[in-house]
Amino acid sequence: MDPDEQPPACCFDEWASHNAKRARKQGTAAPITRHLLAALEAQGLEGKTVLDLGCGTGDLALAALARGAASADGIDLGAGAIEDARSLADERGLADRATFTVGNGAVEPLPRHDVVALNRVLCCYPSVDQLLANSLGAASDVYAYTAPVHTGPVALFNRISVGVGNAWYRLRDRKFQGFRAFVHDLDAVDRTIAAAGFRKTHAAHHRVWQVAVFTRTDV
């Protein structure tokens, strides 16, 4: 894999640890996860298999199980994040229906699932082309993502925020090991998803995030 397409796993474990603490208090660590879950529930989660790419602490995967999904798998670059996800699954009595593994969703072989979700993941990759190519084929019915809004006034805020964040990562490069965040052209992302045989069925902005859900049409 081209190193320019892969985010370093430098800091995901530390962030996941914070998210795990929030998830224990709030059920899900981030408000945007709740918005994505609501959109997926509208498509139907009952009895479905879910793949949570870049799962972190398993926030979305475990919440999907609590909402009726039959099983959920998560994959993340951070070994510590995966440990947190497994621990949360045990605490919630969901370990028998949840599997979490360390790996890169852009290159690992991905088994088919009814639902594939990329929650706050696209912005961690310098290029999303290989991630999309590898993950779209794993979605039998539904493909969804959340990512920073890339157009309008909110996009300007996002780019400034990302720029400031990236400047901090550069200053502390020993810790962050080259990690950067990105605001991608989501229109181009949507075209790639559509070309793979999906139709957008939900689109919404929630503060700085865009939520998009697609259903497969070529079946």
Side-chain angles (χ1 to χ4, degrees):
M1 179 182 181
D2 187 333
D4 290 338
E5 293 193 356
Q6 178 174 345
C10 62
C11 29
F12 297 136
D13 287 347
E14 181 179 335
W15 293 337
S17 178
H18 292 304
N19 285 336
K21 293 176 183 177
R22 293 172 63 186
R24 286 184 171 93
K25 294 179 180 179
Q26 304 172 13
T28 55
I32 190 59
T33 303
R34 294 191 286 273
H35 290 298
L36 178 55
L37 282 165
L40 292 175
E41 272 194 290
Q43 297 293 328
L45 279 173
E46 187 71 33
K48 298 295 181 66
T49 58
V50 176
L51 176 59
D52 185 2
L53 285 181
C55 64
T57 58
D59 211 22
L60 184 138
L62 296 176
L65 291 175
R67 287 161 173 75
S71 65
D73 296 322
I75 182 171
D76 196 274
L77 288 166
I82 293 301
E83 289 180 10
D84 280 325
R86 292 169 179 166
S87 177
L88 282 169
D90 283 334
E91 291 172 19
R92 297 178 185 183
L94 298 171
D96 60 330
R97 294 192 287 144
T99 301
F100 296 103
T101 57
V102 177
N104 184 349
V107 296
E108 302 291 343
L110 301 175
R112 296 273 281 191
H113 289 72
D114 297 317
V115 178
V116 173
L118 296 83
N119 184 30
R120 302 189 297 170
V121 174
L122 297 178
C123 51
C124 296
Y125 281 76
S127 169
V128 298
D129 293 345
Q130 190 163 346
L131 177 63
L132 292 172
N134 195 49
S135 58
L136 281 164
S140 296
D141 300 319
V142 175
Y143 191 88
Y145 70 77
T146 65
V149 173
H150 81 290
T151 59
V154 175
L156 177 60
F157 173 83
N158 280 342
R159 290 191 171 89
I160 292 172
S161 298
V162 165
V164 171
N166 287 341
W168 174 248
Y169 301 147
R170 280 191 292 272
L171 285 172
R172 302 194 65 193
D173 197 57
R174 179 175 295 182
K175 175 179 179 179
F176 292 103
Q177 301 174 29
F179 174 80
R180 303 290 185 268
F182 302 90
V183 179
H184 291 294
D185 181 345
L186 298 181
D187 291 335
V189 169
D190 291 353
R191 287 192 295 271
T192 299
I193 297 172
F198 292 85
R199 176 176 61 89
K200 186 184 286 186
T201 53
H202 177 87
H205 290 177
H206 298 283
R207 296 187 178 180
V208 301
W209 297 96
Q210 179 165 319
V211 178
V213 179
F214 300 77
T215 56
R216 186 173 284 281
T217 60
D218 60 347
V219 293

